[in-house]
Structure formats: structure tokens, C-alpha cells
Amino acid sequence: MADEKKKKAHSCRNKLLTGGVSRYGRSAMYERTATYKKKWTVVKKEKVKTPAFVEKQIGGDKNGGKRLVRVKRSPRYYPTDELPPRKRSRKKPFCEHKRNLRATITPGTVLILVAGRYKGKRVVFLKQLASGLLLVTGPMKVNGVPMRRINQIYCIASKTKVDISKVELPDRLTDEYFKKKKLRKPKHQEGEIFDEAKEEYTVSDERKEDQLKVDRQLLPIVKAVPHMKGYLQSPFFLSTKQYPHEMAF
Amino acid sequence: MAAPVAFQLLHANTTYVNARFVKVFTKYVEIGRVAFIAHGKDSGKLCVIIDIVDQNRALVDGPCTGVLRQALNFKRLHLTPFKIKIPHSVKTKIVRKKFDEGEILKKWQETTWAKKIEIKKKRAALSDFDRFKLMRAKQARGRIIRTQVNKLKKEAAKK
């Protein structure tokens, strides 16, 4: 094992053929990797023995003062029938899905939003969140787009990039942070049929603070590039004879 | 009776336009004619017509522009005003020599035709940011022109 680490590791001596079959079987591989030469040094791991019972103190009179309690509790249910083993489904839950990101979208890319409340706006891409959605910001001072999540399928990635390497994003910007909060509807009173005074959405102080923090870092970077601020301010539009499939962004 | 006499003197390939005799065709398919390939794999490149194969095709060669010696349909070729003096079916080496001597590529780059192609290419490759900057530049230019025109108008109106 130590020899291997000293020299550079050899490329795989085996080959995978079609059908999931290896070119060389076990005995052939034994010879090829010279396993007979290898010296196996076994390091005995010390088994840490955990006690099965633990002494616990009990208050109160006339109880004996302490009890021996099992560390691992015995199961409260023993099944009478053996159930057939569950097959491993290849369907993964959403949280385990593989997130893709278009190669053209990198931190600092100017994206053109094509759908949603802010369609037509040009925004700066900050990072991709764990759910796969993109975190973008206007910056807010420039075009009124706050820090927001959008799906990359609703963005056109332009070739223009802003240098974001020195921008520090607050750690609390996660999917949970941006998730839509359900507004409480006031409970129906006896005799009142119509909803009165629905709870309105207000921007939290957290959001305002984080928005300022990020924008303060971004604005000087944006202003440093000539015409960039004007570019982010102006909306994207198509005019006559402009065909998106013929345009470069 | 000047008009009827003039008509009788009409040559082939000339018409009478605006009190002048004008040739209808000025660029001919001939050996040595430099042509612009408009369609196909080599589209956008210049080549020289070396020989005529039949009614529809020409033997063509473009050693200086990366066109292999091949037979191309006339429909693909757009004739340029340039010509080099070569005998028919010459070797590619001679074509290259005459093409370089005639400085055809340099002359081609100076034509409006070639310049328009360049402009089209540049426009197609503009990024969204470039298009924005172009729009702002056009607006600024228009503003300058308009202020000057209005100034001149005012001065003219005063007089």
C-alpha cells in the first residue's frame, strides 16, 4: 500500500467490455496487478466497547435512587410476517435530482428574463441554488429587480459578463429563504361571509438588508464597465426583422 | 432623322438609356474571370474560372482562397469585375501566381461588395450588449446632427 503511494498510480489494468463484462477475470487480474507481491499491513482497529447498560439517577423517595437503563432500547414491535424486500426504485426524489446549468451561464453573466413579473429585464446572475433555480439580482437600484430566484429556462444568457469574483453573498440566501410564505387568511367569524383584510405581503427586513449588502458590492463593478449601467437599465425588446434564432446574445 | 439612324447602329449587348449607349452585360463568364461562390461548401470564397465544362458548369480553382479545383454550376457563381490572364485549364500553381500578381484579394477587399459582406457578418455577430451600445451610438450621432441642422435652419430663417 505504501509502495503505491510513493510511485504514481498506474492506469487501470483492466478494461470494461460491452455488456458490463471485464476483459480480465479475477485470476488474470491477480497476476497483472502482482497482488502476490503486495505486503498487506493490517492495522488493528481498537474496538471501542460501548456499555450496554447505563446507570441513571432517579429522584424521589423509596425508588432505589438509581436504575440500570439499556443504552439501545429493545424494539417495541416484532413483525410476525416477513415482508417481501422492497425493490430499490431508480426514481429519485426532487432533492436528489441532478441539477444542470447551461454552460453559457456562469456567475456574473447578464441574463435576459423572458417570462414572469420581470420579463424583458436584464439582470446579473449570482449563483445557482440547491434546487437548481438561479439566484439573480437587478441590481435593484439599477432596474428594480430584487434578489430573486428564476428558472434558467426563462432566461436568455447573453455573452456579457460582469466580474463577480470579489462579491460575497450572504450565507443565508438559500431556497428556504426565498420560498413563498403562505399568507394567513383571517378565520371566518360567525355571520361574516367575505374575507376582511387579507394579510398582505411585506418585504422583510432581512431581505432589505441582504439586498443592500449585495447591491453595494455590485454597483461599483457595474458602473466601472462603460455603458453597463444603461444596459441593465434598459429593457430587452425585439423589433422588426429581428429574429431570435438568427441573433447572437 | 437622328433617332432611327441611332437605332440601326445598335450593337449586340447595348441599349440606349438616358441618351447614352449602355452595355447590358459587362461581366462575362470567361477563362480567368474571378467569381464569388455564393452557395455551397465554399460559399463566400473567391475562385477563378479555368475552363467551361458544359452549358451549366465551369471548372473552377481558387488556390489562394482555399477552393479546390472542381466543377461548379454557374448558378452558384456570382461574377466579379476582376479577371486574370490565363490560358484554359492551367495548373493550380500558375493560377496562384497570376492571382497573387493581380492582387485580386486586395482589390476584392476594397470593393463595396466585399465590405457589405463584412458588415453583414459583423452585424450578425453582435452580442446583446453590442447592439445596445450601437443603439446609444446612433442616438448620440443623431443628436449631434440634429442640433447642427436645427442651428443652421435657425440661421437661415433669420436671414
Side-chain angles (χ1 to χ4, degrees):
Chain A
M1 284 297 185
D3 290 63
E4 269 185 65
K5 281 193 180 148
K6 277 189 202 161
K7 299 181 201 158
K8 198 179 154 202
H10 195 281
S11 59
C12 187
R13 286 185 169 87
N14 207 342
K15 201 167 37 169
L16 206 62
L17 305 172
T18 47
V21 177
S22 325
R23 171 70 183 82
Y24 300 104
R26 298 189 90 190
S27 41
M29 280 310 289
Y30 182 83
E31 286 184 36
R32 297 186 106 221
T33 54
T35 319
Y36 50 86
K37 273 199 201 167
K38 291 203 178 123
K39 291 199 175 90
W40 303 92
T41 48
V42 182
V43 179
K44 254 213 164 171
K45 234 169 131 190
E46 272 226 28
K47 260 196 179 175
V48 182
K49 250 213 158 178
T50 48
F53 287 91
V54 160
E55 231 184 52
K56 288 233 166 142
Q57 298 291 326
I58 303 174
D61 286 342
K62 299 186 196 167
N63 304 20
K66 52 188 171 193
R67 293 288 149 82
L68 284 175
V69 179
R70 278 178 183 270
V71 175
K72 279 201 195 144
R73 292 157 101 186
S74 28
R76 62 195 143 112
Y77 172 69
Y78 291 95
T80 52
D81 255 322
E82 198 179 294
L83 294 166
R86 274 191 132 183
K87 282 194 193 158
R88 307 213 94 213
S89 168
R90 270 194 272 157
K91 289 192 185 164
K92 289 188 182 157
F94 180 72
C95 58
E96 286 178 32
H97 282 179
K98 182 165 165 246
R99 318 292 176 190
N100 293 324
L101 186 63
R102 258 184 270 158
T104 47
I105 302 179
T106 59
T109 312
V110 174
L111 303 174
I112 301 168
L113 303 184
V114 140
R117 196 211 173 296
Y118 297 102
K119 53 178 169 277
K121 300 274 187 186
R122 297 176 170 114
V123 296
V124 178
F125 168 64
L126 298 174
K127 71 171 189 181
Q128 186 181 34
L129 299 171
S131 66
L133 297 172
L134 310 182
L135 177 63
V136 296
T137 182
M140 190 146 185
K141 258 256 159 110
V142 173
N143 54 19
V145 180
M147 275 203 296
R148 200 170 204 267
R149 297 185 297 171
I150 33 151
N151 195 322
Q152 57 181 305
I153 61 177
Y154 303 118
C155 311
I156 298 175
S158 75
K159 287 194 210 141
T160 329
K161 299 197 198 278
V162 178
D163 187 8
I164 264 198
S165 50
K166 301 233 169 64
V167 174
E168 277 180 44
L169 300 172
D171 287 328
R172 60 182 173 190
L173 299 179
T174 60
D175 285 298
E176 266 307 306
Y177 181 84
F178 288 105
K179 216 177 167 100
K180 222 173 189 174
K181 310 272 182 315
K182 282 230 163 131
L183 303 170
R184 262 190 335 106
K185 277 195 192 167
K187 284 201 181 142
H188 278 299
Q189 299 272 318
E190 279 292 325
E192 291 174 16
I193 315 164
F194 302 110
D195 276 332
E196 280 186 32
K198 222 182 178 168
E199 199 179 304
E200 290 238 343
Y201 170 74
T202 51
V203 183
S204 66
D205 288 324
E206 267 189 330
R207 291 274 195 124
K208 291 188 192 167
E209 196 189 305
D210 289 333
Q211 184 73 51
L212 270 177
K213 218 187 267 178
V214 174
D215 281 1
R216 278 213 183 103
Q217 296 175 67
L218 262 182
L219 270 173
I221 300 171
V222 162
K223 284 189 181 165
V225 184
H227 300 285
M228 180 57 76
K229 182 162 170 277
Y231 176 57
L232 292 174
Q233 269 178 327
S234 60
F236 170 77
F237 57 89
L238 289 172
S239 52
T240 326
K241 302 275 171 88
Q242 278 196 311
Y243 307 113
H245 69 286
E246 287 178 358
M247 291 157 67
F249 288 99
Chain B
M1 301 289 260
V5 174
F7 268 68
Q8 279 167 36
L9 289 174
L10 260 182
H11 298 286
N13 195 31
T14 49
T15 49
Y16 195 64
V17 178
N18 286 343
R20 290 191 179 86
F21 286 109
V22 166
K23 271 191 161 177
V24 182
F25 296 109
T26 50
K27 297 180 274 199
Y28 296 90
V29 168
E30 50 198 318
I31 311 293
R33 173 65 60 185
V34 177
F36 175 81
I37 304 176
H39 311 286
K41 186 171 69 93
D42 293 314
S43 58
K45 296 186 188 159
L46 290 182
C47 61
V48 181
I49 296 176
I50 309 282
D51 207 345
I52 310 296
V53 176
D54 56 18
Q55 195 196 308
N56 298 320
R57 290 177 300 158
L59 180 64
V60 129
D61 201 354
C64 303
T65 51
V67 178
L68 292 176
R69 188 170 248 225
Q70 61 194 285
L72 287 183
N73 196 317
F74 287 120
K75 292 191 175 170
R76 279 215 224 163
L77 305 173
H78 291 187
L79 304 177
T80 67
F82 307 119
K83 215 167 54 153
I84 54 176
K85 197 153 191 236
I86 44 164
H88 76 108
S89 309
V90 275
K91 281 204 258 193
T92 307
K93 194 164 78 176
I94 308 294
V95 178
R96 187 197 300 271
K97 182 161 156 261
K98 294 282 178 177
F99 199 89
D100 286 332
E101 272 174 24
E103 292 184 331
I104 304 291
L105 270 180
K106 186 162 151 289
K107 289 187 188 158
W108 166 251
Q109 308 287 9
E110 289 165 5
T111 60
T112 328
W113 185 354
K115 285 186 189 157
K116 278 204 215 163
I117 293 172
E118 264 307 304
I119 289 170
K120 267 199 187 165
K121 266 198 211 155
K122 277 200 186 140
R123 285 212 184 123
L126 286 179
S127 77
D128 192 46
F129 191 28
D130 291 333
R131 259 175 266 130
F132 171 79
K133 286 193 263 190
L134 180 65
M135 173 187 70
R136 282 291 159 94
K138 280 189 181 171
Q139 288 175 345
R141 180 180 67 175
R143 216 174 292 132
I144 296 167
I145 293 170
R146 237 175 298 121
T147 48
Q148 289 305 314
V149 166
N150 290 334
K151 219 190 264 178
L152 292 171
K153 273 197 193 165
K154 257 200 193 165
E155 285 171 17
K158 274 189 201 163
K159 287 182 189 158

